[in-house]
Amino acid sequence: MQIYHKGFNYSQDGPGNRLVYHLQGCNFRCKWCSNPESLPLTSPEAFEMRPEDVLEEALRSRKLFFDGGGVTFTGGECTLQFDELRDSLRLLRSERINTCIETNASHPKLQELLPFIDHLIADLKLVETDLHRIYTGADNASVLTNLKEVADSGRSFLIRIPLINGVNTDPAPFVQFLRSISTRPLTVEVLRYHEFGKDKWGDAYEIRDGFVTQEQYRGFQAALRDAGYEVIET
């Protein structure tokens, strides 16, 4: 698989200390993306690792997986390299290494990965289809369908909502959608907008005045809690 970055991170990409692989390529073009270098499917900066290489590195790193840690695959969008990702997850699970993926939840075969994943982190950027197309360059029908199917499966997972001023600060569509996919409590994390990728985009960066106020942030969280959802902060 093509990887543009790897390294350890604590608690931001799943529980505990984790070896995180950032896979090259993404099918979304989110206007606030902090890693635009990951968007192309190929890059001269990316390097190749086979699933067997991932397993070998994880086994060497096993003593560092404290506090429930393990291996996380993110992106870009990790599911674009589906076969290699599935094989890597399967090998890791065969050695009882904790696994996690961070995904935009758009891949039509996402359900096939679930038996090999301990922790699923799924982005929900926008519920409204027209706005999703405007700000991500992609349709969100498969995202909404996948999230409903995962919820129907009964497994626990984390939904992450990036909160951007002028884009998606109204909690009502999110609450309405979450209620439509599950009657049981779901876990949600709200991520405040930042400009970590602005310099990488240069003049192509389109978000203006994206920062949210503390009032917007806490109000959004409160609306989710009032609707019965667990809201976490990492």
Side-chain angles (χ1 to χ4, degrees):
M1 66 181 73
Q2 292 290 307
I3 297 170
Y4 77 89
H5 179 73
K6 66 178 180 178
F8 277 88
N9 196 12
Y10 184 82
S11 80
Q12 297 296 311
D13 303 282
N17 198 44
R18 309 192 70 84
L19 177 57
V20 182
Y21 293 98
H22 295 259
L23 275 60
Q24 185 71 38
C26 189
N27 56 325
F28 286 6
R29 293 295 182 269
C30 302
K31 295 181 182 296
W32 55 85
C33 180
S34 59
N35 296 306
E37 70 274 21
S38 73
L39 300 181
L41 294 177
T42 60
S43 169
E45 305 301 320
F47 56 92
E48 181 77 22
M49 288 188 73
R50 301 173 304 158
E52 293 79 8
D53 299 327
V54 172
L55 176 62
E56 181 182 354
E57 187 166 46
L59 290 172
R60 293 198 311 266
S61 305
R62 199 165 203 161
K63 291 183 179 179
L64 300 175
F65 297 153
F66 52 83
D67 293 344
V71 174
T72 295
F73 297 93
T74 183
E77 173 49 43
C78 61
T79 61
L80 292 189
Q81 301 185 51
F82 188 87
D83 292 342
E84 296 89 344
L85 175 63
R86 180 195 56 217
D87 292 347
S88 298
L89 290 166
R90 182 187 290 119
L91 287 173
L92 292 166
R93 285 296 294 272
S94 72
E95 293 292 338
R96 298 186 178 181
I97 293 173
N98 189 279
T99 57
C100 174
I101 71 167
E102 296 178 303
T103 176
N104 61 28
S106 66
H107 199 284
K109 296 195 293 184
L110 179 63
Q111 305 299 318
E112 293 184 22
L113 299 178
L114 297 185
F116 312 112
I117 299 171
D118 292 300
H119 305 281
L120 173 65
I121 301 173
D123 286 351
L124 179 58
K125 305 170 193 297
L126 285 149
V127 174
E128 305 93 328
T129 299
D130 54 344
L131 292 179
H132 197 275
R133 288 197 190 102
I134 290 171
Y135 287 104
T136 74
D139 189 271
N140 66 345
S142 60
V143 176
L144 303 183
T145 297
N146 276 331
L147 292 180
K148 184 179 188 311
E149 290 181 354
V150 174
D152 285 344
S153 74
R155 72 165 292 151
S156 61
F157 67 110
L158 173 64
I159 294 174
R160 277 184 174 165
I161 300 172
L163 196 63
I164 301 110
N165 184 52
V167 176
N168 64 349
T169 53
D170 180 5
F174 292 95
V175 170
Q176 182 178 5
F177 170 71
L178 295 177
R179 282 176 171 162
S180 75
I181 67 171
S182 179
T183 57
R184 65 186 180 87
L186 298 173
T187 304
V188 185
E189 182 175 20
V190 183
L191 303 178
R192 300 179 70 163
Y193 169 80
H194 59 71
E195 291 186 338
F196 295 163
K198 184 176 182 179
D199 290 342
K200 300 178 187 179
W201 282 92
D203 293 340
Y205 196 75
E206 297 183 24
I207 297 295
R208 302 290 183 269
D209 191 29
F211 290 103
V212 296
T213 65
Q214 185 74 353
E215 182 179 5
Q216 286 175 308
Y217 177 59
R218 293 304 182 193
F220 198 99
Q221 289 180 314
L224 292 170
R225 289 193 179 99
D226 289 346
Y229 302 108
E230 179 185 4
V231 179
I232 67 167
E233 296 184 35
T234 59

